[in-house]
Amino acid sequence: MGILRLREGQPCDLALSLSCGQAFRWEQRGEWWEGVVESEVWRLRQEGDRIEYAGPTARRVRDYLALDLDLPAIQAAVDRDPVIHAAIASCPGLRILRQDPWEILVSFICATNTHIPRIRQMIASLSRCFGERVPSPSGAWYSFPSPVALAVPCRETLEECRLGYRDRYIHGTAARIAGDPGLLPHLMALPLEEAREGLLSFPGVGPKAADCILLFGFHRYEAFPVDVWIRRIMHRHYLAPPPGMKAASEKEDRRIREFGREYFGEWAGYAQEYLFCARGELLGDAPGKGHRDGKSRE
DNA sequence: GACCAGGAGCCGC
DNA sequence: GCGGCTCATGGT
């Protein structure tokens, strides 16, 4: 339990950062945010430049929120045009969290072809079924399950988590890491493209998931994940889809990713995250939470 | 009740 | 290597 103060000129929007779709285990209860980080229940709340915490140490909170990074400098580095400028302006305190690679790997295998609320459900369900109970004054929490716990002998036992076709991918990936615990740390130490290739070798991990894992789990900020929203935003504001080419294809997504990295530079992942979080307004929807695309073409 | 979602694997050409 | 199809599921 304690309070830390944000340094002058170093903003952090706790609620936005925890809820924008990079982490899936945080729940808002009153003015507190509660979640499990590395088998510990954390409670956080923010009031202006004060962040109150219960559970972790101040050092852990600062690391998780990446408060050591100079956010205004990062924003300045990617602020190259009016579009990204508006995106930054609409979520100025957004920070990319430093999360556990294993949890992120599983989370973004779950994230294929579904909505963010469903990802949250799947992760909660996996934790409840296969994690360990963590005592907390505010009710039952469960740790995120280990690779060994998810490499259960028969994957049919995963079915109760309602992962759909993803259960065999989770099972296969968990079995591989359970059998080689040094694999993720090894991949993290590799150059970006080699780490990416390594991630692509896991079942259920394709180009988009690999980039999300690099960005959110490996803390590689030049990764530029391309999902349906980023594809639409980039097509509308940055590079028109080539005539005759299908707007949604792996080849086209690769073109977008390479453009994004080149254009935004070493902090391209941050730029991607601002664009993603501002997707509603960038795609011309009513400002706020709605993300309906209103039949807009990609 | 369609349509869509922070896609990926597989198969045929 | 590229295009098309299929894959469970639930939110909107």
Side-chain angles (χ1 to χ4, degrees):
Chain A
M1 195 92 185
I3 294 172
L4 64 81
R5 274 185 189 280
L6 299 176
R7 283 181 295 156
E8 182 68 26
Q10 288 298 324
C12 176
D13 186 329
L14 182 69
L16 180 60
S17 301
L18 298 182
S19 68
C20 69
Q22 57 173 322
F24 304 100
R25 297 211 66 192
W26 290 97
E27 291 182 14
Q28 190 166 23
R29 297 185 177 171
E31 49 189 30
W32 289 90
W33 288 87
E34 292 191 26
V36 182
V37 180
E38 287 165 9
S39 304
E40 269 188 327
V41 178
W42 287 24
R43 303 176 73 222
L44 301 171
R45 72 171 171 179
Q46 179 172 25
E47 210 181 314
D49 67 345
R50 296 153 35 100
I51 292 181
E52 197 170 346
Y53 57 92
T57 63
R59 178 186 297 273
R60 285 291 296 123
V61 176
R62 286 189 180 279
D63 181 64
Y64 185 81
L65 299 177
L67 296 181
D68 54 301
L69 294 184
D70 185 349
L71 190 60
I74 293 169
Q75 294 172 343
V78 299
D79 190 0
R80 312 179 73 85
D81 60 75
V83 175
I84 185 67
H85 186 82
I88 295 169
S90 79
C91 32
L94 175 64
R95 285 178 181 266
I96 293 180
L97 306 171
R98 288 204 186 93
Q99 301 187 76
D100 175 64
W102 161 243
E103 181 171 334
I104 289 296
L105 171 57
V106 174
S107 297
F108 281 93
I109 291 176
C110 291
T112 65
N113 204 26
T114 192
H115 301 79
I116 291 175
R118 269 284 294 154
I119 306 169
R120 302 170 52 81
Q121 281 183 14
M122 289 189 266
I123 297 305
S125 186
L126 278 172
S127 301
R128 194 167 51 248
C129 293
F130 299 100
E132 293 181 14
R133 193 186 180 91
V134 183
S136 159
S138 60
W141 280 96
Y142 294 85
S143 66
F144 189 81
S146 68
V148 172
L150 289 184
V152 284
C154 72
R155 75 170 178 83
E156 283 69 25
T157 60
L158 278 170
E159 285 178 358
E160 62 181 301
C161 293
R162 314 294 294 171
L163 305 177
Y165 59 86
R166 305 167 188 83
D167 56 7
R168 75 188 116 151
Y169 302 147
I170 299 294
H171 182 259
T173 291
R176 227 182 110 195
I177 296 201
D180 185 1
L183 183 51
L184 276 183
H186 168 68
L187 292 181
M188 290 181 78
L190 294 176
L192 187 75
E193 285 306 322
E194 295 175 41
R196 191 167 188 274
E197 287 303 313
L199 288 170
L200 289 173
S201 73
F202 289 105
V205 177
K208 189 270 177 180
D211 285 325
C212 283
I213 297 160
L214 287 171
L215 181 58
F216 301 127
F218 285 13
H219 324 131
R220 303 292 280 266
Y221 302 107
E222 65 269 52
F224 192 85
V226 178
D227 69 349
V228 292
W229 299 105
I230 293 300
R231 185 188 306 137
R232 287 173 187 150
I233 292 167
M234 298 300 284
H235 278 164
R236 173 161 323 179
H237 294 290
Y238 288 94
L239 73 172
M245 187 193 284
K246 209 167 174 294
S249 70
E250 187 173 330
K251 186 178 172 190
E252 176 59 6
D253 286 352
R254 180 165 61 245
R255 194 174 74 103
I256 295 171
R257 168 165 49 86
E258 288 169 355
F259 172 86
R261 266 199 221 166
E262 178 72 19
Y263 181 72
F264 291 113
E266 63 174 323
W267 299 99
Y270 255 94
Q272 188 273 2
E273 207 47 20
Y274 286 112
L275 294 173
F276 179 81
C277 290
R279 60 193 178 283
E281 54 197 271
L282 291 181
L283 293 171
D285 296 342
K289 304 300 282 182
H291 298 126
R292 301 274 54 78
D293 78 341
K295 293 184 179 51
S296 61
R297 289 273 52 82
E298 310 212 350

